[in-house]
Amino acid sequence: MAVLDAVTQRRNFILFPFFMIAGLIVYRVLPSEPAFIALATLIGFTFATAWLGRDRAPIREIALLASMFALGMVLLPVHGALFGTRMLESPRYGTYTARIEAVTYNDGSEQRWVLSDVAGELDWTLPNVRLARVTVPGAYDVSPGDTITARIRFYPVPPPAVPGGYDSQFVSHFDGIGAYGTAFGDIEISKSGAGGLSRAVKDLRAAITTRIVSQLGERIGGIAAALVTGDQSRITEDDRNLMASAGIAHVIAISGLHLTLVAGTMFACVRFFLSLGHGVTQRFPIKKIAAGFGIATALAYMVISGMVIPAVRSTIMLALIFAAIIAGRQALTMRNVAIAGLAIIVFEPTSVFRASFQLSFAAVIALIAAYELARRNREDRERPQRGRALTLMLDIATTSIIAGLATLVFTAYHFQQTAPFGVLGNLMVMPIVSFVMMPAALLGTLLLPLGLEAIPYAGLGWSIEAMLWCAGFVRNLSGGFDPSPILSPVALGVALFALAWLAYFRTHMRITGPIVAVPLIAFFCLEQAPDIFIADQSQALAVRSGDRVALIAGRNNTFATTIWSERYLTVIEDAHTATGCDSLGCILSTEEGYTVALVKSRDAFDEDCRIAEIVIARLTAPPQCETAAKLVVDASDLARYGAHMIDWNGPDLPPTIRTAIDGPDRPWRIQL
């Protein structure tokens, strides 16, 4: 009955973005690049089937869903052909002239520029990539369109540090960024006078940020600037961790919450003031006029905040909602979510693999599903009368619980945080954010041209101080308790299926999908921390022996060891006392009954390969070593597959290997 109800209500359209996402995932995990002719044939066949079966509903609907899957598989290759680039395979150094396309980071002491049209005197030193991201020490007054001349060292975009970790090569390739770099010495800047709208927006954002920081100070003003212009460079790591521990880190990242509060405030205020005039209400559709102001406000906020993907996605969603009001249609529907999702997937397919898209997509689907269920329940029985304050607190608590549960898997996977006291944190903070912080930010920004922003920005600063106090209270109350699991990437697939189930059905059957997902993730999607950690771009090598994980080689508190500790919730100690090292290498006999050898010299291969079950070398191992030892990881393995994580499964089973680089021959990988 639930399936028949969903089909009757034409909810198959809601599944379109999910099938496109499934196609994107299948393309992403393929071990090698599929032939483009095969992808074109697949998409042509599915669309032809949908057209030929247009008079037979079951065939048409199935073929359309298959077409969305095929389209998803084609999106990334097409996006790569249009906007992608080759990846730099080895460092380059020289003096270059380039054009600034964007300034992506600026904290006053360091900047990051995206450069194009990189040119130099010697052709062999050119990186030959479409775009490059360069870190620049110091503060420079630059804008998109300016030309710079500087000494730059370009280097390859780094691969993931751990299996399933953030893949900067994948993202950078499709963004057209084929190299990273660092600038040295003096930089010559030639102002282009061009830049148009992008330069004007950059200057406006900088001016707003300067006014906010000058009035509220570096710490509070830095958080306020993040809320208004999206510039998070002044937020300290301590404040980030404080808000994350209280489950309110989403407050400082501009997303649907901020767009909704700002555009919603404008909508409510315009409608209220227009309603004061009786003649106006009689002659004009004030609700539709207010919706128009809401769309304009959302668009302006999106531009001022830097047009980050969450803001763009939320603006599309809000525009659909206000457009529905203007058209006299129902505003909050799952169909609007599907339309917004399709738009983002088509124009920015790599965003599907980013945490921001997954978190906001999951939260919006869950909240609208809850809204639909609540609406059906209200139709069945009368809603009990409650006080406004109690209703507000219950609504905030319910929203926080629903959004928290919907995003739990994604926050646990990407950030190793579940913030179990997040409901309390949101209960304390959201009234401040909703009724003081964002309205004050909106009013202060609107009054900036008149120089009257002092009072509303003072209220904004007070609300931020109150938010930080609440975050500190929640963190102290929780005592640092955060039972975060280590999830495998399969958990994201299970969560995606549960979201599709939740979105598709209208009846109470929709909640069975998320309910079934819980045991599936608990029994089949949990990972254990590995027994052996091998870095690819440093000397770091850590091994578990008994209850301790400690280094055999390399230094602690480096990028690799920090990522290992965060990803696998494991303390990496400095050294095993049982490790024996000399100039030829190191040997450790673990408490689990196997021996690990780190070979530093070719002279040690013969002996170490005979006495150790697992041999690790940053040299090329001889063929006889692979025959003698149970597992050998050498320089060629590390160069091709990146960091290795190894699980010892006992003497009777082969070790399990997880590598950071999957599909080393794909277009976004560095071809050796």
Side-chain angles (χ1 to χ4, degrees):
M1 290 296 293
V3 175
L4 180 61
D5 174 75
V7 173
T8 304
Q9 295 296 319
R10 301 173 64 184
R11 293 179 72 88
N12 282 359
F13 177 78
I14 294 170
L15 295 179
F16 281 11
F18 290 99
F19 273 78
M20 289 182 70
I21 292 173
L24 286 167
I25 293 173
V26 170
Y27 169 81
R28 173 68 178 81
V29 301
L30 288 175
S32 59
E33 191 71 8
F36 192 80
I37 186 65
L39 295 177
T41 301
L42 175 63
I43 195 170
F45 174 78
T46 54
F47 274 104
T49 303
W51 172 258
L52 294 174
R54 62 188 182 277
D55 295 328
R56 301 179 64 181
I59 295 178
R60 181 187 68 246
E61 297 300 325
I62 293 174
L64 282 174
L65 293 176
S67 300
M68 294 301 106
F69 176 84
L71 186 59
M73 289 196 66
V74 172
L75 273 178
L76 281 174
V78 171
H79 197 80
L82 294 175
F83 309 108
T85 183
R86 65 176 289 275
M87 306 300 289
L88 182 66
E89 71 287 344
S90 61
R92 303 281 194 276
Y93 178 82
T95 300
Y96 303 96
T97 300
R99 181 180 185 273
I100 297 177
E101 292 292 328
V103 179
T104 60
Y105 180 82
N106 181 9
D107 66 355
S109 61
E110 182 179 275
Q111 297 180 351
R112 292 195 192 106
W113 301 340
V114 175
L115 304 180
S116 65
D117 302 328
V118 179
E121 295 181 358
L122 301 175
D123 291 342
W124 64 271
T125 67
L126 296 179
N128 291 325
V129 297
R130 195 167 73 84
L131 299 171
R133 195 193 79 180
V134 175
T135 300
V136 184
Y140 294 90
D141 180 18
V142 295
S143 299
D146 293 346
T147 300
I148 61 103
T149 300
R151 289 186 295 126
I152 303 174
R153 179 184 180 272
F154 291 106
Y155 55 89
V157 178
V162 292
Y166 177 74
D167 194 342
S168 55
Q169 288 182 345
F170 174 78
V171 174
S172 296
H173 168 74
F174 289 101
D175 287 345
I177 298 175
Y180 286 175
T182 303
F184 300 93
D186 296 331
I187 298 176
E188 297 180 11
I189 301 172
S190 299
K191 291 289 185 179
S192 66
L197 179 61
S198 61
R199 179 185 291 270
V201 170
K202 178 256 183 185
D203 293 340
L204 176 62
R205 294 179 66 208
I208 294 174
T209 299
T210 301
R211 293 279 285 274
I212 292 174
V213 173
S214 64
Q215 179 169 336
L216 300 180
E218 192 70 23
R219 185 193 183 198
I220 301 301
I223 297 176
L227 296 171
V228 177
T229 66
D231 179 7
Q232 298 189 19
S233 61
R234 291 174 173 82
I235 301 178
T236 64
E237 198 63 30
D238 289 340
D239 284 339
R240 291 180 191 273
N241 293 333
L242 173 64
M243 287 183 279
S245 65
I248 59 171
H250 59 90
V251 172
I252 59 173
I254 293 177
S255 61
L257 168 68
H258 306 76
L259 268 296
T260 301
L261 290 174
V262 169
T265 299
M266 179 62 74
F267 170 80
C269 290
V270 171
R271 188 179 182 187
F272 171 75
F273 285 115
L274 290 178
S275 67
L276 297 179
H278 180 71
V280 175
T281 60
Q282 295 296 318
R283 297 179 183 178
F284 302 101
I286 62 172
K287 185 177 180 181
K288 296 181 179 181
I289 294 174
F293 274 89
I295 293 176
T297 303
L299 290 172
Y301 190 21
M302 177 190 70
V303 172
I304 291 175
S305 63
M307 296 186 67
V308 293
I309 292 299
V312 174
R313 181 170 55 252
S314 302
T315 301
I316 294 173
M317 186 67 194
L318 282 170
L320 290 171
I321 291 173
F322 285 127
I325 293 175
I326 294 173
R329 304 289 297 275
Q330 186 177 331
L332 288 175
T333 67
M334 203 67 75
R335 181 175 290 268
N336 287 343
V337 179
I339 294 172
L342 287 171
I344 293 294
I345 292 169
V346 168
F347 291 103
E348 192 70 26
T350 56
S351 65
V352 168
F353 301 94
R354 299 177 185 176
S356 61
F357 176 89
Q358 297 168 14
L359 290 169
S360 60
F361 198 53
V364 170
I365 287 174
L367 290 171
I368 291 185
Y371 170 79
E372 290 180 344
L373 281 175
R375 187 180 61 203
R376 291 172 66 91
N377 290 337
R378 285 196 300 269
E379 293 172 355
D380 296 336
R381 60 180 181 271
E382 184 178 353
R383 186 178 183 179
Q385 296 295 321
R386 302 188 184 97
R388 291 187 177 182
L390 178 60
T391 299
L392 174 63
M393 297 304 291
L394 288 175
D395 287 345
I396 292 174
T398 303
T399 300
S400 178
I401 292 172
I402 292 171
L405 291 175
T407 58
L408 184 65
V409 172
F410 303 100
T411 54
Y413 179 83
H414 290 288
F415 309 114
Q416 289 75 50
Q417 290 180 335
T418 54
F421 289 81
V423 173
L424 176 60
N426 281 276
L427 272 175
M428 297 177 67
V429 167
M430 289 315 297
I432 300 173
V433 174
S434 302
F435 298 111
V436 181
M437 185 181 295
M438 296 313 298
L442 173 63
L443 181 59
T445 305
L446 291 175
L447 293 177
L448 263 176
L450 303 177
L452 302 176
E453 76 282 359
I455 294 177
Y457 274 170
L460 173 61
W462 171 85
S463 66
I464 292 173
E465 291 177 350
M467 177 185 70
L468 293 175
W469 182 90
C470 292
F473 174 82
V474 173
R475 182 174 66 177
N476 293 334
L477 187 66
S478 66
F481 175 70
D482 189 5
S484 300
I486 304 174
L487 298 178
S488 71
V490 178
L492 300 182
V494 175
L496 177 66
F497 178 82
L499 285 174
W501 188 284
L502 183 68
Y504 182 64
F505 293 107
R506 292 202 314 154
T507 65
H508 284 84
M509 184 180 178
R510 71 195 317 167
I511 64 175
T512 60
I515 290 174
V516 172
V518 173
L520 288 177
I521 292 174
F523 288 108
F524 301 105
C525 302
L526 297 183
E527 283 187 357
Q528 297 295 324
D531 296 314
I532 300 175
F533 307 71
I534 311 172
D536 59 334
Q537 297 186 348
S538 71
Q539 298 297 317
L541 167 62
V543 178
R544 182 186 306 279
S545 181
D547 296 330
R548 298 177 63 239
V549 177
L551 292 170
I552 289 181
R555 295 182 296 107
N556 212 343
N557 300 318
T558 60
F559 176 77
T561 58
T562 301
I563 293 295
W564 294 346
S565 298
E566 293 176 352
R567 174 69 179 91
Y568 297 109
L569 307 176
T570 300
V571 176
I572 308 293
E573 300 182 21
D574 289 335
H576 283 294
T577 56
T579 303
C581 292
D582 57 24
S583 61
L584 301 181
C586 297
I587 294 285
L588 173 65
S589 295
T590 67
E591 296 182 19
E592 287 73 20
Y594 68 96
T595 301
V596 179
L598 171 63
V599 178
K600 298 180 180 179
S601 171
R602 297 185 184 281
D603 297 335
F605 274 118
D606 183 57
E607 179 181 359
D608 288 354
C609 292
R610 285 188 286 105
I611 65 175
E613 283 79 10
I614 297 178
V615 176
I616 300 161
R618 300 189 185 276
L619 308 168
T620 301
Q624 59 269 25
C625 187
E626 298 185 7
T627 304
K630 198 164 191 176
L631 174 65
V632 177
V633 178
D634 67 0
S636 61
D637 296 318
L638 294 172
R640 184 167 174 78
Y641 296 102
H644 282 53
M645 304 293 138
I646 301 173
D647 297 317
W648 175 256
N649 297 320
D652 300 325
L653 295 173
T656 302
I657 305 173
R658 289 170 283 168
T659 60
I661 296 178
D662 53 347
D665 297 321
R666 304 303 293 273
W668 52 88
R669 297 300 178 203
I670 297 171
Q671 304 304 314
L672 302 176

